[in-house]
Amino acid sequence: MKVVALVSGGKDSCYAMMKCIQYGREIVALANLMPADDSVDELDSFMYQTVGHQIIVSYAECMGLPLFRRRIQGSTRHQSLNYKTTPGDEVEDMFMLLNEVKRQIPSITAVSSGAIASDYQRLRVESVCSRLGLVSLAYLWKQDQSLLLQEMITNGILAITVKVAAIGLEPSKHLGKEIAFLNTHLHKLKELYGINVCGEGGEYETLTLDCPLFVNARIVLDEFQTVLHSPGSIASVGVIHPLTFHLENKETAISLSNNDKTNYSSLGKNGSVFEVQGDCPQRSEARCQSNAESTNLAEVSDDRIYISRTKKDNIFSICCWLQDSCKNSAGSHEDLAIVLKHIESQLTGYGFGWEHVLYIHLYIADMNEFATVNETYVRFITQDKCPFGVPSRSTIELPMLQASLGRAYIEVLVANDNSKNVLHVQSISLWAPSCIGPYSQATLHKEILHMAGQLGLDPATMTLCNEGPSAEMERALENSEAVANVFNCSISISAIVFTIYCSRNTPLPERLKIQEKQDSFLKQMRLLQLEKGSKCKVLYPIFLYVLVPDLPKRAFVEVKPILFVPEDTETAVTSVQNPTSFTVANCWGFQHAQWHESCIQKCVVSGKICAVILSITEDHVANICSESLGVNAKDVDYHNSVSKGDMERVSRFCVYLLDKGIMENGFSWEDTMNLRINFPTNSGIQLETVSLLFKNAMNELVEIDRRVQIGKEPIFNVVPVLGSGSSAASMNNIITCELFARKF
């Protein structure tokens, strides 16, 4: 991957380049934005460091790379966190600069920046990269600043302060000092006043005079002038104005120790400087076509389209799939276009749009079509349509053709407000896997954190761990924890539900190791959180393992957690019993039995959340049918085959037990956000039959208990799987139901 590095002259952008090379990227050009007036040291900019810009021209010679520079013509016009193309904004200068670099060096595919903690800067770099078809690299993102500063010093970054603007930093004492000299003092100020030791809060700015990247020469600042902006204040602001400097040639390339595998040999001996001219364009990138223009959908009869919807008014799920795939369908992408169009129509009918969607489950029939499916997906769901943040997403291959379904299947979770908090990091970093495209890592809404499916990807390289399924599981959990930490929570104490998707390519012994790794990881993390003195109440999540044909990138495992992030850390998490009259038991003949407890897992946050996973195994089917038929369960042997009559009794039992599970904890069916019924395709019963049986059971429940209200559309969706269960060793349930209910 060939990279153009955004350089400000500061330590962060230089160290970001070093990290790029460490992870196999090749720096081929530098890019810098400078004031329109050479005599100006600092601009009132939210984006760019310009103090010391007079010296940046030397970087070309020091590194032996071409340097592209542009004078900043714009100003801060678009101040919202999520940037939209705005004529006259200073971000458009970055667009013009990088656009010219890409024109002159077409092989460039990525941009490096030194963003550590600023979402404002990161999102603007990502926006420009997205418009230019480039990848954003931010290898310093979310790194611990104390460790990062020490790394920079240890790895040979020689940088001096060129601006100070914080209490405890005095221009007369601390300007022009090396960061190695100030390290101890900066940490003392962190303890006293909570400053950012890397200067991320604007406490100070630096200028790099030497580092391992400078293979040709180092910079020597001979003379400078100190300029005070606010003398006498509590936190005096002072900057350095360089007067004279020279380059000191390096006779030989820097010798690296045997332990340092970083290779700087690609850096050359000569560098040239280009100034990028031109006015900022009104709108440089082509606008996307509307769906009506870009989507040519085949006519689909209504009896092929299946829609389900939960009945909660303020937050609900809509699911859409095709009953069978059109014979002349071009593939999953065409079926997906049909399904997305109908979901969009449903949303419009309720007065909503894609901006109201919190989460999307994307199921496809063939993971080989992932790329074309994504192309279809982005025609409907874009950042422009979702100004408050794009939905989080998981993508799974399901055996849909075996279940006589179409090639694409969508479930969306919708909220009637825009109070969601979306985490969408597109930059490749060391923090967690990036989301390249219109889907986000996580969405927080009303204390529920909906996290995207996490693979065992190495964030720095975006490649899967190659040590096997259990290593992938550990990495996926680490990635999930990194995302959770952004929301000040942990998967070890805040998770409500864990869904673990396992590829059928994962052998049974490896599945057992996956569960062992998960259990040990969560236990270790929980102890760590308790040692830190976390004030959050500990939740003990429920688990569902699902066996599927394939996962993105041919992964062995994908983890999808849902977390509770309370506004009040004292919120109780114990169940509250609310005894009710279960008239349903008298009508269907089910009576409470001890073995019922083995079917059900629950995680309840009192008065807020009720999550239930109901697992029905062969033994449970024998018990259910023996109760109905009045025979001994030991005399019933199913051998993985269940008749339609048996499934009818099973569906009623599931509805009975789910009803009991939510009602005794003070919830109702109207509180349901989603209800999935995972059904194995090798059962011998058609998925359409299973759907009809559950629909009938729900209708019977309404007839016998008037407290239950459901509409014309089913409130559940049936998901075809290869297998499912409460443990990795026994994904052979006849039926698994997932119910998530919440109150506001």
Side-chain angles (χ1 to χ4, degrees), residues 123 440 505 543 546:
L123 287 167
S440 60
N505 297 320
F543 296 91
V546 182

Side-chain angles (χ1 to χ4, degrees), residues 1-5 16-29 65 109-112 135-139 213 261-267 427-430 434 436 458-463:
M1 181 179 285
K2 296 185 184 299
V3 179
V4 53
M17 286 191 286
M18 292 175 65
K19 300 300 284 186
C20 281
I21 294 173
Q22 179 183 337
Y23 288 103
R25 318 305 187 187
E26 181 185 359
I27 309 293
V28 298
L65 291 176
T109 57
V111 176
S112 168
V135 176
S136 171
L137 303 177
Y139 282 119
L213 297 171
K261 298 181 180 179
T262 306
N263 183 7
Y264 303 111
S265 61
S266 63
L267 302 180
S427 299
I428 293 177
S429 67
L430 303 179
S434 64
I436 309 296
D458 171 26
T461 62
M462 292 298 289
T463 57

Side-chain angles (χ1 to χ4, degrees), residues 496-537:
I496 305 164
V497 181
F498 270 101
T499 302
I500 299 96
Y501 296 102
C502 293
S503 164
R504 65 178 163 196
N505 297 320
T506 310
L508 179 57
E510 292 296 333
R511 295 179 206 164
L512 299 178
K513 291 180 182 178
I514 283 174
Q515 184 164 353
E516 290 173 3
K517 179 64 70 176
Q518 170 202 276
D519 293 342
S520 63
F521 183 93
L522 293 178
K523 182 179 180 180
Q524 182 179 359
M525 290 300 301
R526 188 177 295 120
L527 291 173
L528 184 62
Q529 290 295 319
L530 295 176
E531 287 175 5
K532 288 180 179 178
S534 174
K535 295 181 180 180
C536 293
K537 299 287 185 179

Side-chain angles (χ1 to χ4, degrees), residues 89-358:
D89 192 278
E90 60 186 353
V91 175
E92 298 308 304
D93 288 296
M94 185 198 303
F95 177 86
M96 289 288 289
L97 175 63
L98 294 178
N99 188 49
E100 178 61 18
V101 177
K102 185 181 177 184
R103 188 189 70 80
Q104 291 200 34
I105 312 177
S107 60
I108 283 176
T109 57
V111 176
S112 168
S113 67
I116 298 176
S118 172
D119 283 307
Y120 183 93
Q121 293 174 352
R122 173 185 59 81
L123 287 167
R124 278 153 175 72
V125 174
E126 290 177 353
S127 173
V128 169
C129 286
S130 177
R131 291 159 63 187
L132 292 171
L134 299 170
V135 176
S136 171
L137 303 177
Y139 282 119
L140 310 190
W141 179 249
K142 290 294 180 186
Q143 297 301 292
D144 181 278
Q145 291 189 41
S146 293
L147 296 177
L148 194 56
L149 183 60
Q150 186 58 54
E151 276 185 36
M152 293 179 188
I153 296 168
T154 303
N155 286 283
I157 296 282
L158 193 159
I160 62 170
T161 52
V162 290
K163 177 182 177 180
V164 293
I167 186 169
L169 290 176
E170 301 177 28
S172 60
K173 290 183 180 180
H174 302 118
L175 271 177
K177 296 297 189 292
E178 294 182 15
I179 55 173
F181 173 80
L182 293 175
N183 190 10
T184 302
H185 184 63
L186 291 170
H187 280 86
K188 184 182 294 184
L189 295 182
K190 177 188 176 184
E191 294 177 5
L192 290 173
Y193 310 116
I195 75 160
N196 296 277
V197 295
C198 279
E200 275 296 284
E203 293 89 347
Y204 68 93
E205 292 178 359
T206 61
L207 179 67
T208 301
L209 301 179
D210 194 14
C211 71
L213 297 171
F214 291 7
V215 294
N216 295 334
R218 63 179 61 88
I219 301 168
V220 178
L221 181 58
D222 299 310
E223 188 179 359
F224 62 85
Q225 176 186 0
T226 299
V227 180
L228 296 180
H229 286 187
S230 53
S233 66
I234 295 176
S236 298
V237 178
V239 300
I240 278 179
H241 176 72
L243 296 175
T244 60
F245 67 93
H246 71 275
L247 299 185
E248 188 176 276
N249 291 332
K250 296 181 178 179
E251 294 182 0
T252 58
I254 296 173
S255 298
L256 304 176
S257 67
N258 292 332
N259 294 327
D260 190 348
K261 298 181 180 179
T262 306
N263 183 7
Y264 303 111
S265 61
S266 63
L267 302 180
K269 285 289 182 183
N270 297 301
S272 44
V273 179
F274 304 91
E275 184 164 333
V276 177
Q277 308 284 346
D279 295 328
C280 292
Q282 292 298 305
R283 179 102 178 163
S284 297
E285 69 276 23
R287 298 188 62 180
C288 295
Q289 291 176 303
S290 67
N291 287 338
E293 295 171 325
S294 62
T295 307
N296 181 21
L297 300 180
E299 291 295 326
V300 179
S301 59
D302 290 342
D303 60 352
R304 283 188 58 219
I305 301 167
Y306 191 100
I307 294 283
S308 66
R309 181 194 185 280
T310 54
K311 302 309 167 190
K312 200 170 180 64
D313 291 331
N314 48 8
I315 183 167
F316 55 90
S317 60
I318 306 176
C319 188
C320 181
W321 68 90
L322 303 180
Q323 195 58 43
D324 57 69
S325 189
C326 183
K327 291 182 180 179
N328 59 3
S329 170
S332 296
H333 62 285
E334 187 169 296
D335 282 5
L336 178 62
I338 294 169
V339 171
L340 284 170
K341 189 66 177 176
H342 282 279
I343 288 284
E344 190 171 71
S345 176
Q346 290 283 315
L347 290 172
T348 302
Y350 294 118
F352 298 145
W354 291 112
E355 70 270 21
H356 293 94
V357 175
L358 305 176

